[in-house]
Amino acid sequence: MYRYLVAEPDIGEEELRNVVEAVKSGWISSKGKFIEKFEREFANYIGMKYGVAVSNGTVALHLALAALGIGPGDEVIVPDLTFAATINAVLYTRARPVIVDIHPEYWCMDPDKVEKAITPKTKVIIPVHLYGHPCDMDPIMEIASRNNLYIVEDAAEAHGAEYKGRKVGSFGYISCFSFYGNKIITTGEGGMVLTNDDELAEKIRILRDHGMNPEKRYWHEVIGFNYRMTNLQAAIGVAQLSKIDKFIEKKRRIAKIYAEELSGIPGIIPHPEMPWAKNVYWLYSILIDPNKAKISRDELSKRLEKEGIETRKFFYPLHEMPIYAKYGVYSYPVATTISRQGLNLPSSTKLTEEDVRFIAQKIKEIAFT
């Protein structure tokens, strides 16, 4: 067991009280007061009108695309550096993903590459707010508007992050969140779809529940899915949401300490925060430049592990994995480089300031020897 974890849930008495209340009410499955409360309060927190709670972040993306009618013959633009759920959701609809490179300064989808990837078949752009940093949304929104495209935000890793003072997840026609156990707030498993379109929200709710007519029980007019969240999960989510600002403040404090302690180490590039962004540092991340550092990324990770310090390498670029290679029709020098250099450091909100300084000190000791 590691002493210093990359991420872990921060659960307390409030969550326990809500779960006990849900259990005592008898509503432990996909009905109960906590589901609607969580949907309403999370949508309000992000700045959207309607929330639909679902069983995880991947199905949130799938439901979003399904509700928009995306299917065979359509193209959906995704970034090369992201978790596989982003591209898998596109493939579930039998649409064609189109992979684009990322921006070297902030590691998210590069708007210039998006522009060049658009064809008459393009229907959706999925910006992914990677590791807690927002995408540059203005140019992406402008491209989408000019080409009559939908934006579906993948904000799974960026609860509460902001772009020019506005929370991510409030820009897209639909936005999707994950509440997996390592996210900023968690329901164990779970996700949320947000939109400002009431008819679309209702369509997503119907698709979430087997395509059943809400006014005529067991009457199915469309083929849907079983993507519901349970009242027990939502009970945890309500309590977690009440703490989200505290969690984000702690994440940003951890990032500040890392940035201060690791500054000046040759070859270590800190997690960026652009002037237009509020990074929530879901996972505080660094790059190890092999041309300047005295130690490789992989060797640093191995030696930290021996000290009881867990780290996590960045995602592999999508285009490098054989199952996705045919969707990588462009060159991806930025994603390839950053993937090979990137390392996520312990970022749990349970870490003390002393813990973070200890981890940083171990990195300095290893990096300078």
PDB file of all heavy atoms in Angstrom, residues 54-66 83-93 126 152 154 156 176-180 183 189-193 227 324:
ATOM      1  N   VAL A  54     -26.117   9.833 -14.373  1.00  0.00           N
ATOM      2  CA  VAL A  54     -25.958   8.552 -15.059  1.00  0.00           C
ATOM      3  C   VAL A  54     -24.944   7.686 -14.323  1.00  0.00           C
ATOM      4  O   VAL A  54     -24.343   8.109 -13.335  1.00  0.00           O
ATOM      5  CB  VAL A  54     -25.538   8.756 -16.526  1.00  0.00           C
ATOM      6  CG1 VAL A  54     -26.639   9.460 -17.299  1.00  0.00           C
ATOM      7  CG2 VAL A  54     -24.238   9.544 -16.630  1.00  0.00           C
ATOM      8  N   SER A  55     -24.742   6.465 -14.822  1.00  0.00           N
ATOM      9  CA  SER A  55     -23.957   5.491 -14.080  1.00  0.00           C
ATOM     10  C   SER A  55     -22.450   5.705 -14.144  1.00  0.00           C
ATOM     11  O   SER A  55     -21.728   5.199 -13.290  1.00  0.00           O
ATOM     12  CB  SER A  55     -24.302   4.069 -14.555  1.00  0.00           C
ATOM     13  OG  SER A  55     -24.206   3.969 -15.955  1.00  0.00           O
ATOM     14  N   ASN A  56     -21.957   6.422 -15.140  1.00  0.00           N
ATOM     15  CA  ASN A  56     -20.532   6.782 -15.185  1.00  0.00           C
ATOM     16  C   ASN A  56     -20.292   7.821 -16.263  1.00  0.00           C
ATOM     17  O   ASN A  56     -21.194   8.162 -17.043  1.00  0.00           O
ATOM     18  CB  ASN A  56     -19.636   5.547 -15.392  1.00  0.00           C
ATOM     19  CG  ASN A  56     -19.951   4.778 -16.650  1.00  0.00           C
ATOM     20  OD1 ASN A  56     -19.764   5.272 -17.758  1.00  0.00           O
ATOM     21  ND2 ASN A  56     -20.444   3.548 -16.497  1.00  0.00           N
ATOM     22  N   GLY A  57     -19.059   8.317 -16.323  1.00  0.00           N
ATOM     23  CA  GLY A  57     -18.742   9.375 -17.270  1.00  0.00           C
ATOM     24  C   GLY A  57     -18.721   8.923 -18.713  1.00  0.00           C
ATOM     25  O   GLY A  57     -19.030   9.705 -19.627  1.00  0.00           O
ATOM     26  N   THR A  58     -18.366   7.669 -18.942  1.00  0.00           N
ATOM     27  CA  THR A  58     -18.332   7.149 -20.310  1.00  0.00           C
ATOM     28  C   THR A  58     -19.721   7.118 -20.915  1.00  0.00           C
ATOM     29  O   THR A  58     -19.932   7.535 -22.066  1.00  0.00           O
ATOM     30  CB  THR A  58     -17.714   5.740 -20.337  1.00  0.00           C
ATOM     31  OG1 THR A  58     -16.450   5.765 -19.689  1.00  0.00           O
ATOM     32  CG2 THR A  58     -17.551   5.254 -21.764  1.00  0.00           C
ATOM     33  N   VAL A  59     -20.691   6.626 -20.153  1.00  0.00           N
ATOM     34  CA  VAL A  59     -22.051   6.573 -20.686  1.00  0.00           C
ATOM     35  C   VAL A  59     -22.642   7.972 -20.817  1.00  0.00           C
ATOM     36  O   VAL A  59     -23.542   8.188 -21.650  1.00  0.00           O
ATOM     37  CB  VAL A  59     -22.972   5.652 -19.848  1.00  0.00           C
ATOM     38  CG1 VAL A  59     -22.377   4.257 -19.731  1.00  0.00           C
ATOM     39  CG2 VAL A  59     -23.289   6.226 -18.486  1.00  0.00           C
ATOM     40  N   ALA A  60     -22.156   8.925 -20.020  1.00  0.00           N
ATOM     41  CA  ALA A  60     -22.587  10.308 -20.198  1.00  0.00           C
ATOM     42  C   ALA A  60     -22.235  10.777 -21.613  1.00  0.00           C
ATOM     43  O   ALA A  60     -23.069  11.376 -22.313  1.00  0.00           O
ATOM     44  CB  ALA A  60     -21.918  11.202 -19.152  1.00  0.00           C
ATOM     45  N   LEU A  61     -21.014  10.491 -22.050  1.00  0.00           N
ATOM     46  CA  LEU A  61     -20.600  10.855 -23.401  1.00  0.00           C
ATOM     47  C   LEU A  61     -21.415  10.103 -24.452  1.00  0.00           C
ATOM     48  O   LEU A  61     -21.841  10.683 -25.460  1.00  0.00           O
ATOM     49  CB  LEU A  61     -19.111  10.558 -23.587  1.00  0.00           C
ATOM     50  CG  LEU A  61     -18.136  11.467 -22.842  1.00  0.00           C
ATOM     51  CD1 LEU A  61     -16.738  10.852 -22.827  1.00  0.00           C
ATOM     52  CD2 LEU A  61     -18.099  12.853 -23.485  1.00  0.00           C
ATOM     53  N   HIS A  62     -21.633   8.805 -24.222  1.00  0.00           N
ATOM     54  CA  HIS A  62     -22.409   8.014 -25.174  1.00  0.00           C
ATOM     55  C   HIS A  62     -23.828   8.552 -25.288  1.00  0.00           C
ATOM     56  O   HIS A  62     -24.369   8.716 -26.402  1.00  0.00           O
ATOM     57  CB  HIS A  62     -22.423   6.548 -24.736  1.00  0.00           C
ATOM     58  CG  HIS A  62     -23.130   5.651 -25.708  1.00  0.00           C
ATOM     59  ND1 HIS A  62     -23.694   4.461 -25.328  1.00  0.00           N
ATOM     60  CD2 HIS A  62     -23.382   5.767 -27.042  1.00  0.00           C
ATOM     61  CE1 HIS A  62     -24.253   3.878 -26.380  1.00  0.00           C
ATOM     62  NE2 HIS A  62     -24.071   4.655 -27.432  1.00  0.00           N
ATOM     63  N   LEU A  63     -24.462   8.839 -24.155  1.00  0.00           N
ATOM     64  CA  LEU A  63     -25.823   9.381 -24.180  1.00  0.00           C
ATOM     65  C   LEU A  63     -25.874  10.721 -24.906  1.00  0.00           C
ATOM     66  O   LEU A  63     -26.821  10.991 -25.657  1.00  0.00           O
ATOM     67  CB  LEU A  63     -26.343   9.560 -22.752  1.00  0.00           C
ATOM     68  CG  LEU A  63     -26.993   8.366 -22.068  1.00  0.00           C
ATOM     69  CD1 LEU A  63     -27.396   8.727 -20.648  1.00  0.00           C
ATOM     70  CD2 LEU A  63     -28.210   7.887 -22.853  1.00  0.00           C
ATOM     71  N   ALA A  64     -24.878  11.567 -24.668  1.00  0.00           N
ATOM     72  CA  ALA A  64     -24.848  12.870 -25.329  1.00  0.00           C
ATOM     73  C   ALA A  64     -24.845  12.710 -26.840  1.00  0.00           C
ATOM     74  O   ALA A  64     -25.626  13.354 -27.565  1.00  0.00           O
ATOM     75  CB  ALA A  64     -23.615  13.650 -24.875  1.00  0.00           C
ATOM     76  N   LEU A  65     -23.983  11.835 -27.338  1.00  0.00           N
ATOM     77  CA  LEU A  65     -23.887  11.627 -28.784  1.00  0.00           C
ATOM     78  C   LEU A  65     -25.138  10.945 -29.329  1.00  0.00           C
ATOM     79  O   LEU A  65     -25.647  11.306 -30.396  1.00  0.00           O
ATOM     80  CB  LEU A  65     -22.641  10.800 -29.110  1.00  0.00           C
ATOM     81  CG  LEU A  65     -21.304  11.464 -28.763  1.00  0.00           C
ATOM     82  CD1 LEU A  65     -20.154  10.481 -28.966  1.00  0.00           C
ATOM     83  CD2 LEU A  65     -21.071  12.725 -29.581  1.00  0.00           C
ATOM     84  N   ALA A  66     -25.656   9.962 -28.582  1.00  0.00           N
ATOM     85  CA  ALA A  66     -26.873   9.273 -29.019  1.00  0.00           C
ATOM     86  C   ALA A  66     -28.053  10.234 -29.088  1.00  0.00           C
ATOM     87  O   ALA A  66     -28.857  10.184 -30.032  1.00  0.00           O
ATOM     88  CB  ALA A  66     -27.184   8.110 -28.077  1.00  0.00           C
ATOM     89  N   PHE A  83      -8.240  10.135 -22.032  1.00  0.00           N
ATOM     90  CA  PHE A  83      -8.578   8.767 -21.658  1.00  0.00           C
ATOM     91  C   PHE A  83      -9.417   8.142 -22.769  1.00  0.00           C
ATOM     92  O   PHE A  83     -10.159   8.827 -23.482  1.00  0.00           O
ATOM     93  CB  PHE A  83      -9.338   8.764 -20.334  1.00  0.00           C
ATOM     94  CG  PHE A  83      -9.677   7.395 -19.828  1.00  0.00           C
ATOM     95  CD1 PHE A  83      -8.686   6.444 -19.634  1.00  0.00           C
ATOM     96  CD2 PHE A  83     -10.985   7.048 -19.545  1.00  0.00           C
ATOM     97  CE1 PHE A  83      -8.996   5.168 -19.172  1.00  0.00           C
ATOM     98  CE2 PHE A  83     -11.312   5.786 -19.080  1.00  0.00           C
ATOM     99  CZ  PHE A  83     -10.307   4.840 -18.898  1.00  0.00           C
ATOM    100  N   ALA A  84      -9.337   6.833 -22.908  1.00  0.00           N
ATOM    101  CA  ALA A  84      -9.983   6.127 -24.014  1.00  0.00           C
ATOM    102  C   ALA A  84     -11.498   6.297 -24.046  1.00  0.00           C
ATOM    103  O   ALA A  84     -12.117   6.131 -25.111  1.00  0.00           O
ATOM    104  CB  ALA A  84      -9.637   4.635 -23.951  1.00  0.00           C
ATOM    105  N   ALA A  85     -12.111   6.628 -22.918  1.00  0.00           N
ATOM    106  CA  ALA A  85     -13.569   6.778 -22.891  1.00  0.00           C
ATOM    107  C   ALA A  85     -14.058   7.779 -23.929  1.00  0.00           C
ATOM    108  O   ALA A  85     -15.139   7.603 -24.504  1.00  0.00           O
ATOM    109  CB  ALA A  85     -14.024   7.212 -21.497  1.00  0.00           C
ATOM    110  N   THR A  86     -13.277   8.821 -24.189  1.00  0.00           N
ATOM    111  CA  THR A  86     -13.696   9.861 -25.131  1.00  0.00           C
ATOM    112  C   THR A  86     -13.901   9.282 -26.522  1.00  0.00           C
ATOM    113  O   THR A  86     -14.935   9.501 -27.163  1.00  0.00           O
ATOM    114  CB  THR A  86     -12.653  10.995 -25.184  1.00  0.00           C
ATOM    115  OG1 THR A  86     -12.315  11.403 -23.861  1.00  0.00           O
ATOM    116  CG2 THR A  86     -13.199  12.178 -25.954  1.00  0.00           C
ATOM    117  N   ILE A  87     -12.924   8.553 -27.006  1.00  0.00           N
ATOM    118  CA  ILE A  87     -13.034   7.982 -28.350  1.00  0.00           C
ATOM    119  C   ILE A  87     -13.958   6.767 -28.365  1.00  0.00           C
ATOM    120  O   ILE A  87     -14.681   6.533 -29.340  1.00  0.00           O
ATOM    121  CB  ILE A  87     -11.633   7.638 -28.909  1.00  0.00           C
ATOM    122  CG1 ILE A  87     -11.717   7.332 -30.413  1.00  0.00           C
ATOM    123  CG2 ILE A  87     -10.989   6.482 -28.150  1.00  0.00           C
ATOM    124  CD1 ILE A  87     -10.360   7.223 -31.088  1.00  0.00           C
ATOM    125  N   ASN A  88     -13.993   6.006 -27.281  1.00  0.00           N
ATOM    126  CA  ASN A  88     -14.871   4.837 -27.236  1.00  0.00           C
ATOM    127  C   ASN A  88     -16.333   5.238 -27.374  1.00  0.00           C
ATOM    128  O   ASN A  88     -17.116   4.554 -28.041  1.00  0.00           O
ATOM    129  CB  ASN A  88     -14.668   4.071 -25.931  1.00  0.00           C
ATOM    130  CG  ASN A  88     -13.393   3.259 -25.926  1.00  0.00           C
ATOM    131  OD1 ASN A  88     -12.769   3.049 -26.957  1.00  0.00           O
ATOM    132  ND2 ASN A  88     -12.979   2.803 -24.756  1.00  0.00           N
ATOM    133  N   ALA A  89     -16.716   6.333 -26.731  1.00  0.00           N
ATOM    134  CA  ALA A  89     -18.109   6.784 -26.808  1.00  0.00           C
ATOM    135  C   ALA A  89     -18.505   7.078 -28.249  1.00  0.00           C
ATOM    136  O   ALA A  89     -19.640   6.812 -28.662  1.00  0.00           O
ATOM    137  CB  ALA A  89     -18.316   8.009 -25.922  1.00  0.00           C
ATOM    138  N   VAL A  90     -17.578   7.628 -29.013  1.00  0.00           N
ATOM    139  CA  VAL A  90     -17.842   7.889 -30.432  1.00  0.00           C
ATOM    140  C   VAL A  90     -18.040   6.566 -31.171  1.00  0.00           C
ATOM    141  O   VAL A  90     -18.980   6.412 -31.968  1.00  0.00           O
ATOM    142  CB  VAL A  90     -16.683   8.690 -31.058  1.00  0.00           C
ATOM    143  CG1 VAL A  90     -16.951   8.930 -32.550  1.00  0.00           C
ATOM    144  CG2 VAL A  90     -16.475  10.015 -30.336  1.00  0.00           C
ATOM    145  N   LEU A  91     -17.183   5.611 -30.900  1.00  0.00           N
ATOM    146  CA  LEU A  91     -17.254   4.321 -31.581  1.00  0.00           C
ATOM    147  C   LEU A  91     -18.516   3.552 -31.214  1.00  0.00           C
ATOM    148  O   LEU A  91     -19.041   2.781 -32.027  1.00  0.00           O
ATOM    149  CB  LEU A  91     -16.005   3.495 -31.260  1.00  0.00           C
ATOM    150  CG  LEU A  91     -14.706   4.073 -31.838  1.00  0.00           C
ATOM    151  CD1 LEU A  91     -13.492   3.341 -31.276  1.00  0.00           C
ATOM    152  CD2 LEU A  91     -14.720   4.005 -33.360  1.00  0.00           C
ATOM    153  N   TYR A  92     -19.026   3.739 -29.997  1.00  0.00           N
ATOM    154  CA  TYR A  92     -20.282   3.088 -29.614  1.00  0.00           C
ATOM    155  C   TYR A  92     -21.419   3.491 -30.563  1.00  0.00           C
ATOM    156  O   TYR A  92     -22.354   2.710 -30.788  1.00  0.00           O
ATOM    157  CB  TYR A  92     -20.697   3.461 -28.191  1.00  0.00           C
ATOM    158  CG  TYR A  92     -19.762   3.030 -27.089  1.00  0.00           C
ATOM    159  CD1 TYR A  92     -19.805   3.656 -25.846  1.00  0.00           C
ATOM    160  CD2 TYR A  92     -18.826   2.016 -27.275  1.00  0.00           C
ATOM    161  CE1 TYR A  92     -18.950   3.273 -24.815  1.00  0.00           C
ATOM    162  CE2 TYR A  92     -17.973   1.640 -26.263  1.00  0.00           C
ATOM    163  CZ  TYR A  92     -18.029   2.273 -25.031  1.00  0.00           C
ATOM    164  OH  TYR A  92     -17.181   1.907 -24.018  1.00  0.00           O
ATOM    165  N   THR A  93     -21.370   4.723 -31.067  1.00  0.00           N
ATOM    166  CA  THR A  93     -22.430   5.212 -31.962  1.00  0.00           C
ATOM    167  C   THR A  93     -22.202   4.786 -33.411  1.00  0.00           C
ATOM    168  O   THR A  93     -23.033   5.082 -34.270  1.00  0.00           O
ATOM    169  CB  THR A  93     -22.524   6.750 -31.916  1.00  0.00           C
ATOM    170  OG1 THR A  93     -21.356   7.314 -32.532  1.00  0.00           O
ATOM    171  CG2 THR A  93     -22.662   7.263 -30.496  1.00  0.00           C
ATOM    172  N   ILE A 126     -15.432  17.318 -29.504  1.00  0.00           N
ATOM    173  CA  ILE A 126     -15.394  16.994 -28.075  1.00  0.00           C
ATOM    174  C   ILE A 126     -14.100  17.550 -27.465  1.00  0.00           C
ATOM    175  O   ILE A 126     -13.051  16.903 -27.516  1.00  0.00           O
ATOM    176  CB  ILE A 126     -15.471  15.473 -27.811  1.00  0.00           C
ATOM    177  CG1 ILE A 126     -16.715  14.866 -28.460  1.00  0.00           C
ATOM    178  CG2 ILE A 126     -15.477  15.209 -26.298  1.00  0.00           C
ATOM    179  CD1 ILE A 126     -16.899  13.383 -28.174  1.00  0.00           C
ATOM    180  N   VAL A 152     -19.644  18.962 -27.500  1.00  0.00           N
ATOM    181  CA  VAL A 152     -19.927  18.135 -26.330  1.00  0.00           C
ATOM    182  C   VAL A 152     -18.677  18.178 -25.466  1.00  0.00           C
ATOM    183  O   VAL A 152     -17.655  17.594 -25.809  1.00  0.00           O
ATOM    184  CB  VAL A 152     -20.264  16.686 -26.731  1.00  0.00           C
ATOM    185  CG1 VAL A 152     -20.391  15.810 -25.486  1.00  0.00           C
ATOM    186  CG2 VAL A 152     -21.549  16.636 -27.560  1.00  0.00           C
ATOM    187  N   ASP A 154     -16.121  17.293 -22.665  1.00  0.00           N
ATOM    188  CA  ASP A 154     -15.713  16.215 -21.762  1.00  0.00           C
ATOM    189  C   ASP A 154     -14.991  16.875 -20.594  1.00  0.00           C
ATOM    190  O   ASP A 154     -13.801  17.189 -20.668  1.00  0.00           O
ATOM    191  CB  ASP A 154     -14.810  15.232 -22.494  1.00  0.00           C
ATOM    192  CG  ASP A 154     -14.405  14.036 -21.633  1.00  0.00           C
ATOM    193  OD1 ASP A 154     -14.529  14.119 -20.397  1.00  0.00           O
ATOM    194  OD2 ASP A 154     -13.936  13.024 -22.198  1.00  0.00           O
ATOM    195  N   ALA A 156     -14.760  15.528 -17.527  1.00  0.00           N
ATOM    196  CA  ALA A 156     -14.632  14.477 -16.519  1.00  0.00           C
ATOM    197  C   ALA A 156     -13.562  14.780 -15.485  1.00  0.00           C
ATOM    198  O   ALA A 156     -13.678  14.371 -14.321  1.00  0.00           O
ATOM    199  CB  ALA A 156     -14.319  13.139 -17.204  1.00  0.00           C
ATOM    200  N   CYS A 176     -20.347  16.741 -20.199  1.00  0.00           N
ATOM    201  CA  CYS A 176     -20.342  15.453 -19.516  1.00  0.00           C
ATOM    202  C   CYS A 176     -19.284  15.432 -18.423  1.00  0.00           C
ATOM    203  O   CYS A 176     -18.157  15.904 -18.630  1.00  0.00           O
ATOM    204  CB  CYS A 176     -20.062  14.329 -20.517  1.00  0.00           C
ATOM    205  SG  CYS A 176     -21.272  14.247 -21.864  1.00  0.00           S
ATOM    206  N   PHE A 177     -19.658  14.851 -17.290  1.00  0.00           N
ATOM    207  CA  PHE A 177     -18.775  14.770 -16.127  1.00  0.00           C
ATOM    208  C   PHE A 177     -18.699  13.330 -15.632  1.00  0.00           C
ATOM    209  O   PHE A 177     -19.627  12.541 -15.828  1.00  0.00           O
ATOM    210  CB  PHE A 177     -19.282  15.657 -14.994  1.00  0.00           C
ATOM    211  CG  PHE A 177     -19.169  17.126 -15.265  1.00  0.00           C
ATOM    212  CD1 PHE A 177     -20.114  17.780 -16.051  1.00  0.00           C
ATOM    213  CD2 PHE A 177     -18.118  17.868 -14.737  1.00  0.00           C
ATOM    214  CE1 PHE A 177     -20.016  19.137 -16.305  1.00  0.00           C
ATOM    215  CE2 PHE A 177     -18.009  19.232 -14.995  1.00  0.00           C
ATOM    216  CZ  PHE A 177     -18.954  19.867 -15.778  1.00  0.00           C
ATOM    217  N   SER A 178     -17.589  13.021 -14.965  1.00  0.00           N
ATOM    218  CA  SER A 178     -17.410  11.727 -14.308  1.00  0.00           C
ATOM    219  C   SER A 178     -17.278  11.936 -12.810  1.00  0.00           C
ATOM    220  O   SER A 178     -16.665  12.921 -12.364  1.00  0.00           O
ATOM    221  CB  SER A 178     -16.142  11.040 -14.834  1.00  0.00           C
ATOM    222  OG  SER A 178     -15.790   9.940 -14.014  1.00  0.00           O
ATOM    223  N   PHE A 179     -17.821  11.003 -12.047  1.00  0.00           N
ATOM    224  CA  PHE A 179     -17.679  11.028 -10.591  1.00  0.00           C
ATOM    225  C   PHE A 179     -17.035   9.739 -10.092  1.00  0.00           C
ATOM    226  O   PHE A 179     -17.361   9.234  -9.018  1.00  0.00           O
ATOM    227  CB  PHE A 179     -19.043  11.236  -9.922  1.00  0.00           C
ATOM    228  CG  PHE A 179     -19.762  12.474 -10.392  1.00  0.00           C
ATOM    229  CD1 PHE A 179     -21.021  12.376 -10.973  1.00  0.00           C
ATOM    230  CD2 PHE A 179     -19.167  13.720 -10.284  1.00  0.00           C
ATOM    231  CE1 PHE A 179     -21.687  13.504 -11.426  1.00  0.00           C
ATOM    232  CE2 PHE A 179     -19.834  14.861 -10.733  1.00  0.00           C
ATOM    233  CZ  PHE A 179     -21.086  14.764 -11.310  1.00  0.00           C
ATOM    234  N   TYR A 180     -16.115   9.218 -10.896  1.00  0.00           N
ATOM    235  CA  TYR A 180     -15.349   8.043 -10.493  1.00  0.00           C
ATOM    236  C   TYR A 180     -14.595   8.340  -9.191  1.00  0.00           C
ATOM    237  O   TYR A 180     -14.405   9.502  -8.810  1.00  0.00           O
ATOM    238  CB  TYR A 180     -14.384   7.653 -11.621  1.00  0.00           C
ATOM    239  CG  TYR A 180     -13.568   6.417 -11.350  1.00  0.00           C
ATOM    240  CD1 TYR A 180     -14.168   5.172 -11.171  1.00  0.00           C
ATOM    241  CD2 TYR A 180     -12.185   6.490 -11.259  1.00  0.00           C
ATOM    242  CE1 TYR A 180     -13.421   4.038 -10.930  1.00  0.00           C
ATOM    243  CE2 TYR A 180     -11.417   5.359 -11.012  1.00  0.00           C
ATOM    244  CZ  TYR A 180     -12.041   4.143 -10.843  1.00  0.00           C
ATOM    245  OH  TYR A 180     -11.291   3.024 -10.595  1.00  0.00           O
ATOM    246  N   LYS A 183     -11.973  11.213  -8.879  1.00  0.00           N
ATOM    247  CA  LYS A 183     -12.272  12.558  -9.379  1.00  0.00           C
ATOM    248  C   LYS A 183     -12.393  13.565  -8.223  1.00  0.00           C
ATOM    249  O   LYS A 183     -12.427  13.191  -7.044  1.00  0.00           O
ATOM    250  CB  LYS A 183     -13.544  12.541 -10.208  1.00  0.00           C
ATOM    251  CG  LYS A 183     -13.439  11.695 -11.467  1.00  0.00           C
ATOM    252  CD  LYS A 183     -12.309  12.145 -12.380  1.00  0.00           C
ATOM    253  CE  LYS A 183     -12.339  11.482 -13.747  1.00  0.00           C
ATOM    254  NZ  LYS A 183     -12.031  10.047 -13.723  1.00  0.00           N
ATOM    255  N   GLU A 189     -18.794   5.257  -8.606  1.00  0.00           N
ATOM    256  CA  GLU A 189     -18.974   5.346 -10.046  1.00  0.00           C
ATOM    257  C   GLU A 189     -20.062   6.395 -10.250  1.00  0.00           C
ATOM    258  O   GLU A 189     -20.757   6.772  -9.322  1.00  0.00           O
ATOM    259  CB  GLU A 189     -19.391   4.002 -10.649  1.00  0.00           C
ATOM    260  CG  GLU A 189     -18.285   2.971 -10.734  1.00  0.00           C
ATOM    261  CD  GLU A 189     -17.337   3.191 -11.915  1.00  0.00           C
ATOM    262  OE1 GLU A 189     -17.517   4.192 -12.642  1.00  0.00           O
ATOM    263  OE2 GLU A 189     -16.429   2.374 -12.080  1.00  0.00           O
ATOM    264  N   GLY A 190     -20.223   6.862 -11.460  1.00  0.00           N
ATOM    265  CA  GLY A 190     -21.281   7.840 -11.697  1.00  0.00           C
ATOM    266  C   GLY A 190     -20.844   8.915 -12.663  1.00  0.00           C
ATOM    267  O   GLY A 190     -19.653   9.108 -12.919  1.00  0.00           O
ATOM    268  N   GLY A 191     -21.835   9.612 -13.231  1.00  0.00           N
ATOM    269  CA  GLY A 191     -21.561  10.700 -14.151  1.00  0.00           C
ATOM    270  C   GLY A 191     -22.756  11.615 -14.256  1.00  0.00           C
ATOM    271  O   GLY A 191     -23.799  11.381 -13.626  1.00  0.00           O
ATOM    272  N   MET A 192     -22.614  12.657 -15.070  1.00  0.00           N
ATOM    273  CA  MET A 192     -23.694  13.615 -15.252  1.00  0.00           C
ATOM    274  C   MET A 192     -23.629  14.186 -16.657  1.00  0.00           C
ATOM    275  O   MET A 192     -22.544  14.448 -17.185  1.00  0.00           O
ATOM    276  CB  MET A 192     -23.584  14.749 -14.235  1.00  0.00           C
ATOM    277  CG  MET A 192     -24.768  15.710 -14.220  1.00  0.00           C
ATOM    278  SD  MET A 192     -26.151  15.151 -13.195  1.00  0.00           S
ATOM    279  CE  MET A 192     -25.499  15.447 -11.543  1.00  0.00           C
ATOM    280  N   VAL A 193     -24.812  14.354 -17.253  1.00  0.00           N
ATOM    281  CA  VAL A 193     -24.952  15.043 -18.530  1.00  0.00           C
ATOM    282  C   VAL A 193     -25.680  16.350 -18.255  1.00  0.00           C
ATOM    283  O   VAL A 193     -26.720  16.353 -17.597  1.00  0.00           O
ATOM    284  CB  VAL A 193     -25.757  14.209 -19.544  1.00  0.00           C
ATOM    285  CG1 VAL A 193     -25.787  14.907 -20.904  1.00  0.00           C
ATOM    286  CG2 VAL A 193     -25.182  12.808 -19.677  1.00  0.00           C
ATOM    287  N   TYR A 227     -28.626   3.195 -18.051  1.00  0.00           N
ATOM    288  CA  TYR A 227     -27.499   4.049 -17.660  1.00  0.00           C
ATOM    289  C   TYR A 227     -27.830   4.886 -16.418  1.00  0.00           C
ATOM    290  O   TYR A 227     -27.322   5.979 -16.243  1.00  0.00           O
ATOM    291  CB  TYR A 227     -27.142   4.985 -18.818  1.00  0.00           C
ATOM    292  CG  TYR A 227     -26.394   4.336 -19.969  1.00  0.00           C
ATOM    293  CD1 TYR A 227     -26.186   5.041 -21.147  1.00  0.00           C
ATOM    294  CD2 TYR A 227     -25.885   3.044 -19.888  1.00  0.00           C
ATOM    295  CE1 TYR A 227     -25.489   4.486 -22.217  1.00  0.00           C
ATOM    296  CE2 TYR A 227     -25.197   2.476 -20.943  1.00  0.00           C
ATOM    297  CZ  TYR A 227     -25.000   3.207 -22.109  1.00  0.00           C
ATOM    298  OH  TYR A 227     -24.310   2.649 -23.156  1.00  0.00           O
ATOM    299  N   TYR A 324      -7.084   2.151 -32.339  1.00  0.00           N
ATOM    300  CA  TYR A 324      -7.497   3.494 -32.739  1.00  0.00           C
ATOM    301  C   TYR A 324      -6.634   4.067 -33.871  1.00  0.00           C
ATOM    302  O   TYR A 324      -6.902   5.173 -34.347  1.00  0.00           O
ATOM    303  CB  TYR A 324      -7.427   4.449 -31.548  1.00  0.00           C
ATOM    304  CG  TYR A 324      -8.173   3.998 -30.320  1.00  0.00           C
ATOM    305  CD1 TYR A 324      -7.531   3.959 -29.078  1.00  0.00           C
ATOM    306  CD2 TYR A 324      -9.507   3.621 -30.377  1.00  0.00           C
ATOM    307  CE1 TYR A 324      -8.209   3.547 -27.930  1.00  0.00           C
ATOM    308  CE2 TYR A 324     -10.187   3.202 -29.245  1.00  0.00           C
ATOM    309  CZ  TYR A 324      -9.526   3.165 -28.022  1.00  0.00           C
ATOM    310  OH  TYR A 324     -10.203   2.762 -26.896  1.00  0.00           O
TER     311      TYR A 324
END
